[in-house]
Amino acid sequence: MLLSAALAVAICVELARFRLPRLEAAFTRAVGGLLRGREQRELTGATWLAAAMCLVVWAVPMRSALVALWAAAVGDASGALVGRSVQAWRGRGAGKSLTGTLAVGVATAAGALWLAGLTPAIAAVLGAVAAVAERPRRPLDDNLRVALAVALAAMLVGVG
């Protein structure tokens, strides 16, 4: 229920910021530095993450949802942090890096082992699914894509 309420609030904020210039200006002052370029004109990653969490929690069994939520929240964030830090260190431009993608897979697999108590083989498969799902720039936001892909894969391999 809390995730549903959080998603409702996020959607209301998004709609209001697109329709009310004063709110958009205040929103940009408050969190603009955290937003990617496309998030200035589209839904934020946080709203997509709330939608992914809500959908997964309501649609799949608990252990599958747990791994999917971990993949979207921690795995994807790990990929962004590692990828950006390596690119900054190497002096490369924007874009998804292979080191970031690897970090998504490793963080997701670690969460599957630790939180859901899955076997190393199943955890590795789910980590690989998260890494592959994170890689494309479109369609859909990667927060949603990663959560849905991992949830589906977890159910297919028999995670309850």
Side-chain angles (χ1 to χ4, degrees), residues 37-106:
R38 67 178 172 78
E39 291 175 318
Q40 299 286 339
R41 345 170 264 293
E42 298 176 14
L43 294 178
T44 64
T47 299
W48 281 110
L49 182 60
M53 289 180 161
C54 205
L55 181 61
V56 166
V57 164
W58 287 103
V60 303
M62 184 176 68
R63 285 177 69 210
S64 294
L66 182 63
V67 176
L69 295 178
W70 178 271
V74 177
D76 190 53
S78 298
L81 292 172
V82 169
R84 287 181 186 164
S85 65
V86 168
Q87 285 177 336
W89 175 66
R90 288 185 170 175
R92 297 205 173 144
K96 294 187 177 191
S97 70
L98 290 176
T99 52
T101 299
L102 181 61
V104 172
V106 169

Side-chain angles (χ1 to χ4, degrees), residues 63-64 67 105-106 108-114 116-130 149-160:
R63 285 177 69 210
S64 294
V67 176
V106 169
T108 298
L113 284 167
W114 176 57
L118 302 180
T119 67
I122 290 175
V125 166
L126 296 178
V129 167
V150 172
L152 179 61
M155 289 182 2
L156 288 174
V157 298
V159 176

Side-chain angles (χ1 to χ4, degrees), residues 15-39:
L15 290 173
R17 82 177 177 105
F18 290 134
R19 295 196 172 150
L20 303 170
R22 284 185 145 166
L23 182 60
E24 173 63 22
F27 184 85
T28 301
R29 275 193 310 275
V31 297
L34 300 174
L35 300 178
R36 295 180 181 139
R38 67 178 172 78
E39 291 175 318

Side-chain angles (χ1 to χ4, degrees), residues 111-156:
L113 284 167
W114 176 57
L115 289 173
L118 302 180
T119 67
I122 290 175
V125 166
L126 296 178
V129 167
V132 169
E134 178 273 342
R135 196 83 184 131
R137 291 190 179 273
R138 302 280 178 162
L140 301 176
D141 184 85
D142 59 353
N143 291 304
L144 182 62
R145 199 174 49 242
V146 167
L148 294 178
V150 172
L152 179 61
M155 289 182 2
L156 288 174

